[in-house]
Amino acid sequence: YAGYGETDPDARDVSAYKTTLSGDIGTPDDMSDNSFTVLWGALETVFDGFTVTRGNGETTGNFYSGAGMCNYSGNAMVISNCVFTENRGFLGGGVYNGASSVAFDGCVFLGNTASKNGGGVYSTSPSTITNCVFTDNVAREGGGAYVEYDANTFTNCRFLRNLAHFHGGGLVAYQSSSLISN
């Protein structure tokens, strides 16, 4: 995909031509020296078509949230067609969302781990999550996702083979008026 100047910007194929943002910055395949967080969200930003992998917020003595992506920027973010995989964090192995109104569309949360809550996603702010897949994520609570306080909307999402050591293998909605459909 040529990018800028392309006659049809929708012609890109993010499956065939991946752009990977990796936290594996030290010794290859050694999680202990990886970035705590791979990607920080920013106000009014669109992230589209990235694979975000190998963030490690679980290093000795550090408890970072959102090893793949940490959103704590204000509001109005759109995250589309992204894959968050093999990230390890304290809250939100794949994504931590706090103080941000985020729309996720067509994203995959695969094989992420949180030592506390939200293997794939941990959110304390309103999120709209549409056409997303949560697979093989692990956490103490909310293996696939853990949302609390604000209303979150899950539409046409799939939760497959997620694991929680205590509550909610697929999803925990704690003190939240979340809407889950289809």
Side-chain angles (χ1 to χ4, degrees):
Y1 179 71
Y4 180 77
E6 186 74 29
T7 56
D8 182 5
D10 295 323
R12 68 193 172 95
D13 184 348
V14 296
S15 298
Y17 305 101
K18 294 181 181 179
T19 300
T20 300
L21 304 174
S22 177
D24 196 358
I25 59 172
T27 304
D29 297 322
D30 179 359
M31 287 291 282
S32 69
D33 62 358
N34 288 14
S35 298
F36 298 135
T37 298
V38 176
L39 186 61
W40 280 89
L43 181 63
E44 298 181 14
T45 301
V46 175
F47 293 104
D48 188 3
F50 292 99
T51 295
V52 181
T53 187
R54 315 269 305 158
N56 183 23
E58 274 297 304
T59 61
T60 305
N62 294 308
F63 296 101
Y64 286 82
S65 299
M69 181 178 203
C70 184
N71 302 321
Y72 205 82
S73 61
N75 60 23
M77 293 180 57
V78 176
I79 303 169
S80 302
N81 306 307
C82 290
V83 176
F84 295 89
T85 184
E86 298 180 49
N87 297 290
R88 273 192 327 213
F90 182 64
L91 295 171
V95 173
Y96 173 90
N97 183 46
S100 297
S101 175
V102 178
F104 294 94
D105 186 21
C107 294
V108 175
F109 303 90
L110 172 65
N112 300 289
T113 304
S115 62
K116 191 166 182 193
N117 300 334
V121 170
Y122 176 89
S123 182
T124 61
S125 295
S127 299
T128 303
I129 303 168
T130 308
N131 301 317
C132 293
V133 178
F134 297 81
T135 303
D136 298 324
N137 300 289
V138 178
R140 181 176 176 266
E141 296 188 51
Y146 187 102
V147 297
E148 63 181 310
Y149 308 126
D150 280 314
N152 290 270
T153 303
F154 291 84
T155 307
N156 298 328
C157 294
R158 296 183 341 173
F159 293 83
L160 307 163
R161 298 183 312 273
N162 298 287
L163 173 68
H165 298 291
F166 290 100
H167 301 106
L171 171 68
V172 167
Y174 178 75
Q175 295 184 353
S176 170
S177 57
S178 294
L179 173 64
I180 302 165
S181 62
N182 298 328

